[in-house]
Amino acid sequence: MKTLFRRCPTTGLAVHKDADALIKANAVAATVALLVGGVAAVLVLLTRWQAVHLLSDVWFYRILTVHGMNMLIFFILFFEMAVLYFASAVLLNSRVAAPKTGWIAFALMVAGALIVEWTMLTGRADVLFTSYVPLKAHWAFYLGVILFAVGAILVTTIFFATLVVAKREKTYAGSVPLVTFGAITAAIIAAITLLHGAAIYIPTFLWSLGLMDVDPQVYRLVWWGLGHSSQQINVAAMVAIWYLLGALTAGAVVVNEKISRTAFVLYILFISMASAHHLLVDPGFGPSWKVVNTSYFMYMAVLASMLHGFTVPAGIEMGMRLRGFTQGIFGWLRRAPWHDPGFSSLCLSLVVFGFVGGITGVTFGTEQINIVAHNTLRIPGHFHATVVSGTAMAFMGATYYLIPLVFRKKISFYGMAKWQPWVFSAGMLVFSMAMTFAGTFGVPRRHWDITFSGAPFGVEYSPAVDLLFALMAAGGLVAAVGGAMYILVTVVSVFFGKPLGDDLSESALAGSVPPGLYTRPFAELPTDDDEAAQLKEHGRLGPMPGTMILVAVFFLAFVVYYFANWKLLSAMWQIG
Amino acid sequence: MHATGITPPQGVWWKPAHKSEKVWATIAFVWCMVLFAMMPFWHLRGGQNPSGIRAKVDPLAYQARVMEFIQDYQVGTDAGFPVVAPPPGSDVYLIGQMWAWLPVLQLEKGAEYTLHLSALDVNHGFNLYPFNVNFQVVPGYDYGLRIVPTEAGEYGVVCNEFCGVGHHLMVGKVIVTEPEGAQ
């Protein structure tokens, strides 16, 4: 049994060889999907930017389908499978419960993905990511998605089984770490999501063969139980990674386990209701249903995100202060490891997700405000700030630690890796904000030609839209460069990188891996004396004054944006 | 003693929160209640709600109803499309199909209408330009929205739900005139 494990010299954890291999395979598949989706992203961008208008109408919608499926399903879910193995087997010192099943699941997911890619690229599935019935794709498209989802369900099951094995074999003492708790949250939401996926894709598959009918409105309801909930897996996984990166890079502590874990439980209980966000201006549902569901039963999932938005920076602040960075209100933030790509990814992900993605999401998800947002560019503006600037950025930051920890390789082009989060995040920020503002002028999403040449009636958007499209293109291209930097660094490191070696001292590793791996701030937990000293009053702002100020700024931005949108809505025709 | 996010906490971790956390949690909770209360409040006091009259309808029966509506109130044509001027207070019908909106509507400013939206074939999206008003148009469902046009002018109806390769050609028109007797 012993030979199946290696002892991680950095963290002291025992790592199961199967866990290692499964994490590697899923992470590599994720990166391939990211590359395909990224190339598609550039093609879509250069077509929507009317000044270039690269692709034909047919190929635009085809490549947009490829972009959506690769990014939102294949990249994200393959990476999350790697996160599930990491958070269960690695963090809990355990073996993987059923490694052979893990490989079957991986094979199913790869096969499903390949079938879907084939149907899309051969023009058999020009139905976009949402594939709203009665737009019809080739039956193999739905079958491919089903195979992929079955694989993902198997991995989720293995994850839960691994938790049971770890508990029974007593591989850890105490409660599961918070990062694992977050991954459990993600896995539970994944189970809910994938069941919705089965509930909609299996009937749709049968419909495509002519064996049954599927109601278009019921399709939208159940499909969004998959489509939106899968983004909530991302949120939970991303928050778990925030806690992971906070610990690894800055020695962040968990200020209060109860608060952070309760917030995760709120996600499990309420976040799946958010599929209603997509149905607010649909004919099939009444106002009470819309209000209760879109608000996740009185915004309890928003409360959860606002709690994490506090506890993540508060944990970093307290961790830094307990290690002696006590100067002033923001001394801890100035002295934080900004040159560590794991830390900069964490901060950029947190800020852009919160300020741009979170605020716009809650606002657009308001029943009435959705009238001035639904299916405009405001929607992709919102979700590029959450899924790309938030989730993908956090995943990228985690990769810089996974490569040395799991692949046992140094980071190639480490200088480029340090810049990558900044380039990617800055580009995405400009891109998503320009998109959101263009949407306020009514510019539709998923549209090949907003000059409407050939249409019976003309619609001419404000000249500001041209400027916003140019900004969108510039930001998008910068982000694409950032994405290419990430792929270059990870692929070269994993396949051609120098082995990490046995010398884990600073002199051996500086400049080739993120500094958290040799300074190891997570290894020295502060003592009770440190804490007692720290918790003595810091004046009115309490022991985490910097975080209090940061969340106050966030709150102000939230209130202003939210009510500005009510104002915008009240200027419309009366509708009831 | 605190754990980090990657270390298993020992013993009982259900401990009282710090005061700062309690303050923030309270602010966040109150804000969530405000967010929630705004929606019922707007139903009572606001002028824009996506409630409408909602019913299932056979797409072909709906199409027949639209044709009847056009016959009853047609006043002209525009770019080959019938222009229809229904009396204030009446039910007006718009149908989305690959790849056109039918008919062109001519409405009076300040009058209330029940605007019915439905689709013949696949999902379409109703977007009123330059006002950014958006509704989902689903085949088999009749969405009857009570509307009051508040400004005169010509409006575009852009389809904003992907409906096949001709999607970008799908633009309709609504004309809002000053009420008779206002001049």
Side-chain angles (χ1 to χ4, degrees), chain A residues 95-112:
Chain A
R95 63 187 173 88
V96 176
K100 281 198 186 113
T101 315
W103 288 111
I104 293 171
F106 181 70
L108 278 173
M109 290 173 74
V110 170

Side-chain angles (χ1 to χ4, degrees), chain A residues 4 35 49-50 56 159 166 207 249 290 311 344 426 434 475-476 527 536 549 551 560:
Chain A
L4 291 175
L35 179 62
W49 186 20
Q50 298 273 163
S56 68
F159 169 79
W207 165 77
T249 62
K290 286 174 178 174
T311 57
S344 54
T527 65
K536 277 188 202 142
I549 290 178
V551 295
V560 169

Side-chain angles (χ1 to χ4, degrees), chain A residues 310-362:
Chain A
F310 179 92
T311 57
V312 170
I316 295 171
E317 176 168 7
M318 185 170 272
M320 294 289 289
R321 284 180 184 278
L322 291 172
R323 285 176 181 80
F325 300 99
T326 51
Q327 195 193 16
I329 291 179
F330 287 117
W332 61 279
L333 195 57
R334 276 199 305 277
R335 303 279 298 278
W338 289 101
H339 54 286
D340 180 335
F343 184 79
S344 54
S345 297
L346 157 64
C347 293
L348 293 166
S349 166
L350 178 66
V351 168
V352 182
F353 179 88
F355 275 84
V356 186
I359 290 177
T360 56
V362 174

Side-chain angles (χ1 to χ4, degrees), chain A residues 55 88 140 258 283 340 417 436 571:
Chain A
L55 300 176
S88 56
K258 174 177 76 176
D340 180 335
T436 308

Side-chain angles (χ1 to χ4, degrees), chain A residues 93-277:
Chain A
N93 268 315
S94 174
R95 63 187 173 88
V96 176
K100 281 198 186 113
T101 315
W103 288 111
I104 293 171
F106 181 70
L108 278 173
M109 290 173 74
V110 170
L114 288 175
I115 292 172
V116 171
E117 305 279 14
W118 170 73
T119 55
M120 290 188 299
L121 288 168
T122 54
R124 287 172 167 84
D126 294 338
V127 290
L128 301 193
F129 172 58
T130 45
S131 57
Y132 290 135
V133 165
L135 272 183
K136 195 181 280 186
H138 191 277
W139 56 265
F141 173 79
Y142 308 108
L143 183 66
V145 176
I146 292 168
L147 291 178
F148 187 87
V150 169
I153 290 177
L154 283 177
V155 178
T156 312
T157 314
I158 294 169
F159 169 79
F160 289 119
T162 304
L163 296 182
V164 175
V165 165
K167 184 89 187 165
R168 190 180 294 160
E169 296 179 358
K170 296 193 172 56
T171 60
Y172 64 99
S175 305
V176 295
L178 181 61
V179 172
T180 307
F181 196 87
I184 294 172
T185 305
I188 292 172
I189 299 171
I192 299 169
T193 302
L194 294 165
L195 290 175
H196 278 97
I200 197 60
Y201 274 104
I202 292 171
T204 307
F205 170 63
L206 296 174
W207 165 77
S208 71
L209 293 171
L211 297 174
M212 67 178 284
D213 279 335
V214 176
D215 182 278
Q217 185 70 88
V218 172
Y219 178 91
R220 280 174 57 78
L221 171 67
V222 186
W223 191 88
W224 280 112
L226 163 81
H228 201 98
S229 304
S230 61
Q231 308 320 312
Q232 317 292 16
I233 313 173
N234 302 341
V235 172
M238 172 188 72
V239 174
I241 283 179
W242 287 348
Y243 286 115
L244 172 74
L245 286 174
L248 290 174
T249 62
V253 295
V254 181
V255 179
N256 186 295
E257 298 276 356
K258 174 177 76 176
I259 295 276
S260 295
R261 288 173 195 237
T262 304
F264 274 125
V265 172
L266 288 176
Y267 277 158
I268 300 171
L269 293 178
F270 298 109
I271 212 163
S272 296
M273 299 168 80
S275 28
H277 289 185

